[in-house]
Amino acid sequence: MNAMRRPVIALTGGIAAGKSTVEQRFRAHDICVYDADQAAREVIEPGTDGLAQIVEAFGHEVIGADGRLDRPAMRQRIFADREARHTLESIVHPRVRLWLQQRALADTGPYCMLAIPLLAEHIGHYRWTDRVLLVDVDETTQIRRLMARDDIDETLARRILANQATREQRLAVADDVIDNGGDPAMLDAQVAALHERYLALTANG
């Protein structure tokens, strides 16, 4: 176990794999789940040094009338500019990691989870977590769900998937895997079994 007081489980999964559904199941067991997407919003709120650095790097034109980051403008700025994307990531990602680590350190439950969509792409920065839990579905299911969820065609869905780590890369970093391609009862059973396993980590720590 890491130096923290409680086990920390990193939860990940490809787009449309159903990670949010799994988060809800663990929250129903009174487990705190800290979300990297939430962190990414909070670390660049108005008044933060994160937003100040973004302005310094990209100028005031990426700030909306409400003083917050104009996300559509930022997406357009980095879409075709890899260097700009790397610049933005170099500002946001370290702050997200610190945000997650601080909350894991402060958590008082038997264990906690960190929901990190791009964990496989950045696994080297999260070696301090105790286990990686992957929500897994086959690519065909991902594409079907993504098309339905976002009302997009198959070509765009495949393009989105191509910009993430592959299923094989995610499986390679996983300690535990939830198959989310079946019915909800199967999902509930898998979550309940893993919850007991993670409670045992706490008891044996």
Side-chain angles (χ1 to χ4, degrees):
M1 193 181 301
N2 59 47
M4 295 181 179
R5 294 174 297 156
R6 302 288 191 274
V8 179
I9 314 301
L11 173 66
T12 194
I15 191 168
K19 189 173 72 283
S20 296
T21 303
V22 172
E23 285 184 41
Q24 293 168 8
R25 297 295 199 279
F26 276 98
R27 287 193 172 105
H29 288 280
D30 294 324
I31 297 302
C32 288
V33 183
Y34 303 103
D35 195 302
D37 288 339
Q38 179 186 350
R41 291 189 295 270
E42 289 194 12
V43 299
I44 56 170
E45 280 287 293
T48 62
D49 68 323
L51 188 61
Q53 284 207 13
I54 288 175
V55 171
E56 185 176 336
F58 296 99
H60 286 278
E61 58 266 29
V62 297
I63 303 300
D66 62 355
R68 288 181 160 78
L69 180 68
D70 183 339
R71 293 178 185 278
M74 192 75 248
R75 277 195 297 269
Q76 190 173 26
R77 183 77 173 267
I78 68 174
F79 181 73
D81 187 340
R82 182 172 296 181
E83 185 176 339
R85 180 179 177 180
H86 288 165
T87 298
L88 180 65
E89 290 176 348
S90 72
I91 295 168
V92 176
H93 287 186
R95 289 171 170 81
V96 168
R97 292 194 292 270
L98 180 60
W99 188 99
L100 291 170
Q101 194 164 37
Q102 287 173 337
R103 277 146 187 81
L105 278 165
D107 189 81
T108 58
Y111 66 91
C112 71
M113 305 194 101
L114 311 179
I116 308 170
L118 302 181
L119 180 69
E121 292 88 335
H122 302 283
I123 189 64
H125 293 293
Y126 291 98
R127 296 294 185 190
W128 52 271
T129 61
D130 294 289
R131 296 185 75 79
V132 172
L133 170 57
L134 171 66
V135 182
D136 182 53
V137 294
D138 62 80
E139 187 174 287
T140 300
T141 301
Q142 266 187 288
I143 291 171
R144 174 174 51 79
R145 289 178 179 174
L146 185 57
M147 290 170 62
R149 189 191 76 182
D150 293 358
D151 192 24
I152 59 176
D153 62 23
E154 183 176 344
T155 300
L156 181 54
R158 289 188 179 279
R159 191 180 304 159
I160 292 170
L161 259 64
N163 285 324
Q164 293 194 337
T166 65
R167 184 184 184 191
E168 291 72 23
Q169 288 170 325
R170 288 191 293 269
L171 286 165
V173 303
D175 299 296
D176 306 305
V177 179
I178 283 181
D179 178 359
N180 196 26
D183 61 55
M186 289 177 56
L187 180 60
D188 286 337
Q190 292 178 85
V191 169
L194 283 166
H195 177 61
E196 293 302 320
R197 181 183 300 176
Y198 299 151
L199 289 177
L201 280 179
T202 307
N204 296 329

